[in-house]
């Protein structure tokens, strides 16, 4: 097997927090009278909180000040964290839990590479606080995906070069970031058919057959 490490995106890969992002942004957009739906929500995958807000505000007739934008982002994050607070280890699917354990037993280094500033809180909620060898998140980067910074940080934290790692992503911006950083990518969910990815997963456990890792 050519890889020594796997870098996982978090929202939409390890857990279904992408749905909570959608619900919180949708509540804000509805309050402001801005059209927003699930298709438009896909543009926000992998993108930072403020960049996501700017994409939503593109459909607004009004111009907002920086202070108003900061307040909107805070309002969304408060709603989002309320939803996250209801999560528990039961929100980690058996497919993901089992796959992570097999990958760990196979000796691979496992890391998180997420744009989210809520990464640590989410990992705590789903019982994975101490599972990963490294966590690179929205708090340690200056450029969000599609910039490769978060994946390069994660690879550095596990002392591997990009060509020794594979990135697992559900966002087109994340696939672009992985490729830009020199990583192979396994795409899942919304980005599953992205042609820039080397592997196309229907579920996380497909990694085990694609990478020829035996249980
Ligand atoms: C990414 C999500 O993981 O994190 C994006 O895919 C989100 O949708 C981004 O905007 C930032 O998240 P947070 O939790 O810092 O607002
Ligand atoms: Mg994602």
């Amino acid at each position: 097997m050519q890889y020594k490490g796997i870098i996982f995106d978090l929202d939409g890969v390890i857990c279904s927090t992408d749905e909570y992002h959608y619900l919180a942004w949708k509540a804000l957009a509805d309050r402001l009278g801005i059209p927003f739906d699930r298709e438009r929500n896909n543009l926000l995958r992998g993108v930072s909180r403020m960049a996501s807000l700017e994409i939503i505000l593109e459909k607004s007739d009004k111009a907002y000040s920086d202070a108003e934008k900061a307040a909107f982002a805070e309002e969304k994050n408060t709603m989002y964290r309320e939803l996250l607070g209801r999560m528990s280890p039961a929100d980690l699917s058996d497919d993901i839990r089992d796959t992570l354990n097999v990958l760990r037993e196979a000796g691979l280094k496992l890391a998180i590479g997420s744009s989210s500033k809520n990464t640590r809180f989410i990992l705590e909620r789903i019982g994975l606080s101490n599972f990963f060898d490294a966590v690179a998140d929205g708090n340690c980067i200056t450029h969000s995906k599609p910039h490769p910074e978060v994946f390069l940080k994660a690879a550095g934290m596990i002392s591997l070069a990009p060509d020794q790692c594979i990135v697992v992503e559900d966002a087109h911006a994340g696939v672009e970031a992985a490729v830009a950083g020199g990583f192979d990518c396994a795409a899942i969910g919304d980005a599953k058919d992205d042609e820039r990815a080397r592997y196309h997963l229907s579920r996380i456990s497909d990694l085990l057959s694609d990478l020829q890792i035996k249980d």
Side-chain angles (χ1 to χ4, degrees), residues 9-15 17-18 21 44-47 113-115 145 168-172 174 188:
D9 172 52
L10 180 65
D11 297 315
V13 171
I14 296 294
C15 48
T17 38
D18 49 333
H21 275 298
L44 314 184
R45 290 179 188 273
V47 176
S114 169
S115 302
K145 301 167 190 175
V168 185
E169 256 296 346
D170 74 311
H172 292 289
I188 194 167

Side-chain angles (χ1 to χ4, degrees), residues 4-164:
K4 290 186 161 44
I6 306 187
I7 303 171
F8 294 90
D9 172 52
L10 180 65
D11 297 315
V13 171
I14 296 294
C15 48
S16 302
T17 38
D18 49 333
E19 177 65 12
Y20 298 152
H21 275 298
Y22 169 71
L23 293 173
W25 283 127
K26 177 69 177 155
L28 176 71
D30 285 352
R31 185 178 78 67
L32 298 175
I34 300 171
F36 183 67
D37 57 18
R38 286 180 188 278
E39 195 183 334
R40 206 147 167 80
N41 182 62
N42 285 333
L43 297 175
L44 314 184
R45 290 179 188 273
V47 176
S48 74
R49 193 180 306 164
M50 291 311 288
S52 297
L53 177 64
E54 293 293 350
I55 292 170
I56 289 169
L57 295 181
E58 279 172 15
K59 295 283 179 192
S60 171
D61 305 331
K62 289 192 206 156
Y64 292 102
S65 68
D66 287 349
E68 286 171 312
K69 289 178 187 176
F72 293 157
E74 184 60 31
E75 180 181 335
K76 180 266 175 178
N77 195 49
T78 299
M79 285 188 277
Y80 178 57
R81 283 180 68 96
E82 210 279 308
L83 294 167
L84 295 180
R86 300 181 203 171
M87 294 181 85
S88 75
D91 287 291
L92 188 66
S93 77
D94 289 343
D95 189 66
I96 292 172
R97 187 190 309 276
D98 294 348
T99 303
L100 287 174
N101 286 331
V102 173
L103 294 171
R104 162 65 33 85
E105 279 163 26
L108 285 146
K109 296 264 191 195
L110 306 177
I112 290 286
S114 169
S115 302
S116 174
K117 294 184 173 174
N118 290 299
T119 294
R120 297 274 180 190
F121 182 47
I122 294 167
L123 291 175
E124 191 184 304
R125 297 303 312 166
I126 60 178
L128 291 181
S129 284
N130 298 313
F131 180 82
F132 291 95
D133 297 300
V135 175
D137 66 17
N139 297 301
C140 60
I141 53 172
T142 47
H143 306 287
S144 185
K145 301 167 190 175
H147 193 285
E149 184 179 5
V150 78
F151 295 138
L152 293 170
K153 277 255 159 73
M157 287 175 179
I158 51 176
S159 304
L160 294 175
D163 65 0
Q164 295 177 300

